PDB file of all heavy atoms in Angstrom:
ATOM      1  N   SER A1005    -110.907 -56.034 161.547  1.00 89.00           N
ATOM      2  CA  SER A1005    -111.180 -54.720 160.999  1.00 89.00           C
ATOM      3  C   SER A1005    -111.191 -53.734 162.153  1.00 89.00           C
ATOM      4  O   SER A1005    -111.011 -54.095 163.317  1.00 89.00           O
ATOM      5  CB  SER A1005    -112.528 -54.710 160.246  1.00 89.00           C
ATOM      6  OG  SER A1005    -113.594 -55.042 161.181  1.00 89.00           O
ATOM      7  N   GLY A1006    -111.450 -52.464 161.836  1.00 92.00           N
ATOM      8  CA  GLY A1006    -111.466 -51.453 162.899  1.00 92.00           C
ATOM      9  C   GLY A1006    -111.370 -50.068 162.393  1.00 92.00           C
ATOM     10  O   GLY A1006    -111.774 -49.765 161.263  1.00 92.00           O
ATOM     11  N   VAL A1007    -110.842 -49.187 163.245  1.00 92.00           N
ATOM     12  CA  VAL A1007    -110.765 -47.764 162.887  1.00 92.00           C
ATOM     13  C   VAL A1007    -109.534 -47.155 163.555  1.00 92.00           C
ATOM     14  O   VAL A1007    -109.157 -47.532 164.699  1.00 92.00           O
ATOM     15  CB  VAL A1007    -112.060 -47.033 163.353  1.00 92.00           C
ATOM     16  CG1 VAL A1007    -112.247 -47.117 164.855  1.00 92.00           C
ATOM     17  CG2 VAL A1007    -112.061 -45.594 162.872  1.00 92.00           C
ATOM     18  N   ASP A1008    -108.853 -46.241 162.853  1.00 92.00           N
ATOM     19  CA  ASP A1008    -107.766 -45.463 163.403  1.00 92.00           C
ATOM     20  C   ASP A1008    -108.256 -44.053 163.593  1.00 92.00           C
ATOM     21  O   ASP A1008    -108.594 -43.335 162.622  1.00 92.00           O
ATOM     22  CB  ASP A1008    -106.565 -45.499 162.452  1.00 92.00           C
ATOM     23  CG  ASP A1008    -105.922 -46.858 162.382  1.00 92.00           C
ATOM     24  OD1 ASP A1008    -106.011 -47.624 163.346  1.00 92.00           O
ATOM     25  OD2 ASP A1008    -105.323 -47.164 161.298  1.00 92.00           O
ATOM     26  N   LEU A1009    -108.345 -43.587 164.879  1.00 90.00           N
ATOM     27  CA  LEU A1009    -108.883 -42.296 165.180  1.00 90.00           C
ATOM     28  C   LEU A1009    -107.794 -41.246 165.275  1.00 90.00           C
ATOM     29  O   LEU A1009    -106.610 -41.602 165.505  1.00 90.00           O
ATOM     30  CB  LEU A1009    -109.653 -42.384 166.504  1.00 90.00           C
ATOM     31  CG  LEU A1009    -110.871 -43.326 166.527  1.00 90.00           C
ATOM     32  CD1 LEU A1009    -111.428 -43.442 167.944  1.00 90.00           C
ATOM     33  CD2 LEU A1009    -111.949 -42.869 165.550  1.00 90.00           C
ATOM     34  N   PRO A1010    -108.131 -39.996 165.118  1.00 86.00           N
ATOM     35  CA  PRO A1010    -107.154 -38.939 165.264  1.00 86.00           C
ATOM     36  C   PRO A1010    -106.452 -39.055 166.635  1.00 86.00           C
ATOM     37  O   PRO A1010    -107.052 -39.408 167.651  1.00 86.00           O
ATOM     38  CB  PRO A1010    -107.932 -37.663 165.160  1.00 86.00           C
ATOM     39  CG  PRO A1010    -109.127 -38.064 164.344  1.00 86.00           C
ATOM     40  CD  PRO A1010    -109.458 -39.441 164.779  1.00 86.00           C
ATOM     41  N   GLY A1011    -105.173 -38.722 166.665  1.00 83.00           N
ATOM     42  CA  GLY A1011    -104.438 -38.800 167.922  1.00 83.00           C
ATOM     43  C   GLY A1011    -103.744 -40.165 168.103  1.00 83.00           C
ATOM     44  O   GLY A1011    -103.104 -40.411 169.125  1.00 83.00           O
ATOM     45  N   GLY A1012    -103.889 -41.036 167.104  1.00 86.00           N
ATOM     46  CA  GLY A1012    -103.227 -42.328 167.143  1.00 86.00           C
ATOM     47  C   GLY A1012    -103.996 -43.445 167.821  1.00 86.00           C
ATOM     48  O   GLY A1012    -103.465 -44.548 167.990  1.00 86.00           O
ATOM     49  N   ARG A1013    -105.265 -43.164 168.264  1.00 90.00           N
ATOM     50  CA  ARG A1013    -106.012 -44.209 168.904  1.00 90.00           C
ATOM     51  C   ARG A1013    -106.393 -45.290 167.888  1.00 90.00           C
ATOM     52  O   ARG A1013    -106.856 -44.966 166.775  1.00 90.00           O
ATOM     53  CB  ARG A1013    -107.297 -43.610 169.557  1.00 90.00           C
ATOM     54  CG  ARG A1013    -108.087 -44.597 170.352  1.00 90.00           C
ATOM     55  CD  ARG A1013    -109.334 -43.984 170.908  1.00 90.00           C
ATOM     56  NE  ARG A1013    -110.159 -44.907 171.622  1.00 90.00           N
ATOM     57  CZ  ARG A1013    -111.390 -44.659 172.068  1.00 90.00           C
ATOM     58  NH1 ARG A1013    -111.919 -43.473 171.803  1.00 90.00           N
ATOM     59  NH2 ARG A1013    -112.069 -45.606 172.713  1.00 90.00           N
ATOM     60  N   ARG A1014    -106.248 -46.512 168.268  1.00 93.00           N
ATOM     61  CA  ARG A1014    -106.367 -47.636 167.351  1.00 93.00           C
ATOM     62  C   ARG A1014    -107.308 -48.691 167.953  1.00 93.00           C
ATOM     63  O   ARG A1014    -107.006 -49.359 168.927  1.00 93.00           O
ATOM     64  CB  ARG A1014    -104.979 -48.288 167.092  1.00 93.00           C
ATOM     65  CG  ARG A1014    -104.852 -49.373 166.118  1.00 93.00           C
ATOM     66  CD  ARG A1014    -103.358 -49.715 165.969  1.00 93.00           C
ATOM     67  NE  ARG A1014    -103.125 -50.817 165.022  1.00 93.00           N
ATOM     68  CZ  ARG A1014    -103.203 -52.111 165.330  1.00 93.00           C
ATOM     69  NH1 ARG A1014    -103.526 -52.448 166.565  1.00 93.00           N
ATOM     70  NH2 ARG A1014    -102.946 -53.003 164.412  1.00 93.00           N
ATOM     71  N   ILE A1015    -108.474 -48.896 167.274  1.00 94.00           N
ATOM     72  CA  ILE A1015    -109.455 -49.880 167.755  1.00 94.00           C
ATOM     73  C   ILE A1015    -109.540 -51.008 166.695  1.00 94.00           C
ATOM     74  O   ILE A1015    -109.670 -50.736 165.516  1.00 94.00           O
ATOM     75  CB  ILE A1015    -110.824 -49.224 167.994  1.00 94.00           C
ATOM     76  CG1 ILE A1015    -110.755 -48.105 169.026  1.00 94.00           C
ATOM     77  CG2 ILE A1015    -111.871 -50.254 168.405  1.00 94.00           C
ATOM     78  CD1 ILE A1015    -112.009 -47.315 169.193  1.00 94.00           C
ATOM     79  N   ARG A1016    -109.551 -52.235 167.197  1.00 94.00           N
ATOM     80  CA  ARG A1016    -109.666 -53.417 166.334  1.00 94.00           C
ATOM     81  C   ARG A1016    -110.668 -54.403 166.875  1.00 94.00           C
ATOM     82  O   ARG A1016    -110.817 -54.528 168.092  1.00 94.00           O
ATOM     83  CB  ARG A1016    -108.307 -54.099 166.166  1.00 94.00           C
ATOM     84  CG  ARG A1016    -107.241 -53.243 165.448  1.00 94.00           C
ATOM     85  CD  ARG A1016    -107.579 -53.060 163.969  1.00 94.00           C
ATOM     86  NE  ARG A1016    -106.540 -52.342 163.278  1.00 94.00           N
ATOM     87  CZ  ARG A1016    -106.467 -51.003 163.140  1.00 94.00           C
ATOM     88  NH1 ARG A1016    -107.402 -50.269 163.748  1.00 94.00           N
ATOM     89  NH2 ARG A1016    -105.491 -50.440 162.477  1.00 94.00           N
ATOM     90  N   LYS A1017    -111.313 -55.108 165.997  1.00 94.00           N
ATOM     91  CA  LYS A1017    -112.187 -56.226 166.353  1.00 94.00           C
ATOM     92  C   LYS A1017    -111.955 -57.341 165.316  1.00 94.00           C
ATOM     93  O   LYS A1017    -111.727 -57.030 164.144  1.00 94.00           O
ATOM     94  CB  LYS A1017    -113.659 -55.838 166.376  1.00 94.00           C
ATOM     95  CG  LYS A1017    -114.256 -55.420 165.045  1.00 94.00           C
ATOM     96  CD  LYS A1017    -115.735 -55.098 165.255  1.00 94.00           C
ATOM     97  CE  LYS A1017    -116.340 -54.525 163.946  1.00 94.00           C
ATOM     98  NZ  LYS A1017    -116.348 -55.406 162.809  1.00 94.00           N
ATOM     99  N   GLY A1018    -112.044 -58.579 165.753  1.00 91.00           N
ATOM    100  CA  GLY A1018    -111.856 -59.667 164.801  1.00 91.00           C
ATOM    101  C   GLY A1018    -111.650 -61.007 165.471  1.00 91.00           C
ATOM    102  O   GLY A1018    -111.991 -61.176 166.692  1.00 91.00           O
ATOM    103  N   ALA A1019    -111.121 -61.953 164.725  1.00 88.00           N
ATOM    104  CA  ALA A1019    -110.894 -63.306 165.225  1.00 88.00           C
ATOM    105  C   ALA A1019    -109.991 -63.255 166.461  1.00 88.00           C
ATOM    106  O   ALA A1019    -109.005 -62.499 166.493  1.00 88.00           O
ATOM    107  CB  ALA A1019    -110.307 -64.210 164.147  1.00 88.00           C
ATOM    108  N   SER A1020    -110.313 -64.098 167.443  1.00 90.00           N
ATOM    109  CA  SER A1020    -109.612 -64.009 168.775  1.00 90.00           C
ATOM    110  C   SER A1020    -108.139 -64.231 168.643  1.00 90.00           C
ATOM    111  O   SER A1020    -107.347 -63.466 169.223  1.00 90.00           O
ATOM    112  CB  SER A1020    -110.205 -65.017 169.723  1.00 90.00           C
ATOM    113  OG  SER A1020    -110.051 -66.331 169.242  1.00 90.00           O
ATOM    114  N   ASP A1021    -107.672 -65.206 167.861  1.00 90.00           N
ATOM    115  CA  ASP A1021    -106.247 -65.476 167.769  1.00 90.00           C
ATOM    116  C   ASP A1021    -105.509 -64.354 167.106  1.00 90.00           C
ATOM    117  O   ASP A1021    -104.391 -63.979 167.500  1.00 90.00           O
ATOM    118  CB  ASP A1021    -105.976 -66.810 167.029  1.00 90.00           C
ATOM    119  CG  ASP A1021    -106.460 -66.781 165.594  1.00 90.00           C
ATOM    120  OD1 ASP A1021    -107.509 -66.148 165.317  1.00 90.00           O
ATOM    121  OD2 ASP A1021    -105.794 -67.354 164.716  1.00 90.00           O
ATOM    122  N   ARG A1022    -106.094 -63.752 166.042  1.00 91.00           N
ATOM    123  CA  ARG A1022    -105.472 -62.692 165.323  1.00 91.00           C
ATOM    124  C   ARG A1022    -105.387 -61.391 166.122  1.00 91.00           C
ATOM    125  O   ARG A1022    -104.364 -60.726 166.141  1.00 91.00           O
ATOM    126  CB  ARG A1022    -106.190 -62.465 163.978  1.00 91.00           C
ATOM    127  CG  ARG A1022    -105.492 -61.451 163.071  1.00 91.00           C
ATOM    128  CD  ARG A1022    -104.117 -61.957 162.661  1.00 91.00           C
ATOM    129  NE  ARG A1022    -103.362 -60.945 161.930  1.00 91.00           N
ATOM    130  CZ  ARG A1022    -102.611 -60.020 162.510  1.00 91.00           C
ATOM    131  NH1 ARG A1022    -102.569 -59.925 163.844  1.00 91.00           N
ATOM    132  NH2 ARG A1022    -101.927 -59.172 161.764  1.00 91.00           N
ATOM    133  N   VAL A1023    -106.494 -61.088 166.801  1.00 93.00           N
ATOM    134  CA  VAL A1023    -106.508 -59.836 167.578  1.00 93.00           C
ATOM    135  C   VAL A1023    -105.610 -59.941 168.809  1.00 93.00           C
ATOM    136  O   VAL A1023    -104.929 -58.972 169.156  1.00 93.00           O
ATOM    137  CB  VAL A1023    -107.979 -59.501 167.978  1.00 93.00           C
ATOM    138  CG1 VAL A1023    -107.997 -58.242 168.842  1.00 93.00           C
ATOM    139  CG2 VAL A1023    -108.838 -59.232 166.762  1.00 93.00           C
ATOM    140  N   THR A1024    -105.623 -61.059 169.454  1.00 93.00           N
ATOM    141  CA  THR A1024    -104.724 -61.203 170.638  1.00 93.00           C
ATOM    142  C   THR A1024    -103.252 -61.186 170.226  1.00 93.00           C
ATOM    143  O   THR A1024    -102.391 -60.654 170.951  1.00 93.00           O
ATOM    144  CB  THR A1024    -105.021 -62.534 171.401  1.00 93.00           C
ATOM    145  OG1 THR A1024    -104.980 -63.639 170.461  1.00 93.00           O
ATOM    146  CG2 THR A1024    -106.403 -62.489 172.019  1.00 93.00           C
ATOM    147  N   ARG A1025    -102.929 -61.760 169.022  1.00 92.00           N
ATOM    148  CA  ARG A1025    -101.574 -61.680 168.531  1.00 92.00           C
ATOM    149  C   ARG A1025    -101.175 -60.210 168.299  1.00 92.00           C
ATOM    150  O   ARG A1025    -100.078 -59.782 168.582  1.00 92.00           O
ATOM    151  CB  ARG A1025    -101.424 -62.477 167.224  1.00 92.00           C
ATOM    152  CG  ARG A1025     -99.991 -62.646 166.783  1.00 92.00           C
ATOM    153  CD  ARG A1025     -99.892 -63.292 165.405  1.00 92.00           C
ATOM    154  NE  ARG A1025    -100.800 -64.436 165.356  1.00 92.00           N
ATOM    155  CZ  ARG A1025    -101.498 -64.740 164.295  1.00 92.00           C
ATOM    156  NH1 ARG A1025    -101.418 -63.979 163.198  1.00 92.00           N
ATOM    157  NH2 ARG A1025    -102.301 -65.806 164.267  1.00 92.00           N
ATOM    158  N   ASP A1026    -102.163 -59.458 167.768  1.00 92.00           N
ATOM    159  CA  ASP A1026    -101.925 -58.032 167.506  1.00 92.00           C
ATOM    160  C   ASP A1026    -101.669 -57.301 168.821  1.00 92.00           C
ATOM    161  O   ASP A1026    -100.800 -56.421 168.917  1.00 92.00           O
ATOM    162  CB  ASP A1026    -103.124 -57.444 166.768  1.00 92.00           C
ATOM    163  CG  ASP A1026    -102.931 -55.978 166.452  1.00 92.00           C
ATOM    164  OD1 ASP A1026    -102.041 -55.655 165.628  1.00 92.00           O
ATOM    165  OD2 ASP A1026    -103.659 -55.121 167.020  1.00 92.00           O
ATOM    166  N   ALA A1027    -102.453 -57.638 169.873  1.00 93.00           N
ATOM    167  CA  ALA A1027    -102.270 -57.053 171.173  1.00 93.00           C
ATOM    168  C   ALA A1027    -100.878 -57.341 171.769  1.00 93.00           C
ATOM    169  O   ALA A1027    -100.219 -56.455 172.326  1.00 93.00           O
ATOM    170  CB  ALA A1027    -103.348 -57.537 172.128  1.00 93.00           C
ATOM    171  N   ARG A1028    -100.437 -58.584 171.593  1.00 93.00           N
ATOM    172  CA  ARG A1028     -99.107 -58.934 172.066  1.00 93.00           C
ATOM    173  C   ARG A1028     -98.026 -58.216 171.322  1.00 93.00           C
ATOM    174  O   ARG A1028     -97.023 -57.742 171.905  1.00 93.00           O
ATOM    175  CB  ARG A1028     -98.877 -60.463 171.903  1.00 93.00           C
ATOM    176  CG  ARG A1028     -99.693 -61.312 172.885  1.00 93.00           C
ATOM    177  CD  ARG A1028     -99.195 -62.751 172.878  1.00 93.00           C
ATOM    178  NE  ARG A1028    -100.017 -63.622 173.704  1.00 93.00           N
ATOM    179  CZ  ARG A1028    -101.027 -64.375 173.265  1.00 93.00           C
ATOM    180  NH1 ARG A1028    -101.306 -64.362 171.978  1.00 93.00           N
ATOM    181  NH2 ARG A1028    -101.705 -65.100 174.114  1.00 93.00           N
ATOM    182  N   ASP A1029     -98.234 -58.032 170.007  1.00 92.00           N
ATOM    183  CA  ASP A1029     -97.254 -57.272 169.233  1.00 92.00           C
ATOM    184  C   ASP A1029     -97.119 -55.832 169.705  1.00 92.00           C
ATOM    185  O   ASP A1029     -96.069 -55.219 169.549  1.00 92.00           O
ATOM    186  CB  ASP A1029     -97.649 -57.315 167.758  1.00 92.00           C
ATOM    187  CG  ASP A1029     -97.489 -58.671 167.116  1.00 92.00           C
ATOM    188  OD1 ASP A1029     -96.793 -59.539 167.722  1.00 92.00           O
ATOM    189  OD2 ASP A1029     -98.080 -58.898 166.029  1.00 92.00           O
ATOM    190  N   LEU A1030     -98.193 -55.318 170.293  1.00 92.00           N
ATOM    191  CA  LEU A1030     -98.185 -53.964 170.814  1.00 92.00           C
ATOM    192  C   LEU A1030     -97.740 -53.901 172.283  1.00 92.00           C
ATOM    193  O   LEU A1030     -97.801 -52.828 172.907  1.00 92.00           O
ATOM    194  CB  LEU A1030     -99.568 -53.313 170.667  1.00 92.00           C
ATOM    195  CG  LEU A1030    -100.057 -53.081 169.237  1.00 92.00           C
ATOM    196  CD1 LEU A1030    -101.501 -52.564 169.187  1.00 92.00           C
ATOM    197  CD2 LEU A1030     -99.140 -52.072 168.506  1.00 92.00           C
ATOM    198  N   GLY A1031     -97.404 -55.057 172.780  1.00 92.00           N
ATOM    199  CA  GLY A1031     -96.870 -55.106 174.163  1.00 92.00           C
ATOM    200  C   GLY A1031     -97.909 -55.141 175.241  1.00 92.00           C
ATOM    201  O   GLY A1031     -97.615 -54.885 176.425  1.00 92.00           O
ATOM    202  N   GLN A1032     -99.138 -55.470 174.900  1.00 93.00           N
ATOM    203  CA  GLN A1032    -100.230 -55.475 175.882  1.00 93.00           C
ATOM    204  C   GLN A1032    -100.436 -56.893 176.441  1.00 93.00           C
ATOM    205  O   GLN A1032    -100.320 -57.867 175.690  1.00 93.00           O
ATOM    206  CB  GLN A1032    -101.507 -54.961 175.248  1.00 93.00           C
ATOM    207  CG  GLN A1032    -101.481 -53.522 174.834  1.00 93.00           C
ATOM    208  CD  GLN A1032    -101.531 -52.580 176.020  1.00 93.00           C
ATOM    209  OE1 GLN A1032    -101.797 -52.963 177.144  1.00 93.00           O
ATOM    210  NE2 GLN A1032    -101.233 -51.296 175.764  1.00 93.00           N
ATOM    211  N   PRO A1033    -100.801 -56.999 177.714  1.00 93.00           N
ATOM    212  CA  PRO A1033    -101.046 -58.337 178.297  1.00 93.00           C
ATOM    213  C   PRO A1033    -102.417 -58.848 177.856  1.00 93.00           C
ATOM    214  O   PRO A1033    -103.295 -58.067 177.521  1.00 93.00           O
ATOM    215  CB  PRO A1033    -100.976 -58.072 179.811  1.00 93.00           C
ATOM    216  CG  PRO A1033    -101.450 -56.639 179.916  1.00 93.00           C
ATOM    217  CD  PRO A1033    -100.917 -55.910 178.735  1.00 93.00           C
ATOM    218  N   ILE A1034    -102.548 -60.156 177.925  1.00 94.00           N
ATOM    219  CA  ILE A1034    -103.838 -60.778 177.586  1.00 94.00           C
ATOM    220  C   ILE A1034    -104.553 -61.148 178.879  1.00 94.00           C
ATOM    221  O   ILE A1034    -103.986 -61.940 179.688  1.00 94.00           O
ATOM    222  CB  ILE A1034    -103.615 -62.037 176.694  1.00 94.00           C
ATOM    223  CG1 ILE A1034    -102.790 -61.699 175.457  1.00 94.00           C
ATOM    224  CG2 ILE A1034    -104.988 -62.626 176.285  1.00 94.00           C
ATOM    225  CD1 ILE A1034    -103.370 -60.639 174.595  1.00 94.00           C
ATOM    226  N   PRO A1035    -105.751 -60.623 179.142  1.00 94.00           N
ATOM    227  CA  PRO A1035    -106.452 -60.902 180.365  1.00 94.00           C
ATOM    228  C   PRO A1035    -106.680 -62.423 180.584  1.00 94.00           C
ATOM    229  O   PRO A1035    -106.967 -63.139 179.624  1.00 94.00           O
ATOM    230  CB  PRO A1035    -107.816 -60.162 180.215  1.00 94.00           C
ATOM    231  CG  PRO A1035    -107.515 -59.070 179.224  1.00 94.00           C
ATOM    232  CD  PRO A1035    -106.491 -59.649 178.301  1.00 94.00           C
TER     233      PRO A1035
END
């Protein structure tokens, strides 16, 4: 779940596998 803020900012929280997959889809590295 999460929130989409004005200006396109996108915050998400949730299960680790699902959120990390979402981060990869957005091209972000996994620490």
Side-chain angles (χ1 to χ4, degrees):
S1005 61
V1007 62
D1008 292 332
L1009 299 173
R1013 186 181 177 190
R1014 183 175 180 275
I1015 301 175
R1016 295 290 185 270
K1017 64 178 174 64
S1020 60
D1021 63 324
R1022 186 63 187 85
V1023 176
T1024 53
R1025 189 186 317 142
D1026 181 67
R1028 288 193 184 96
D1029 291 343
L1030 294 174
Q1032 294 288 348
I1034 306 302

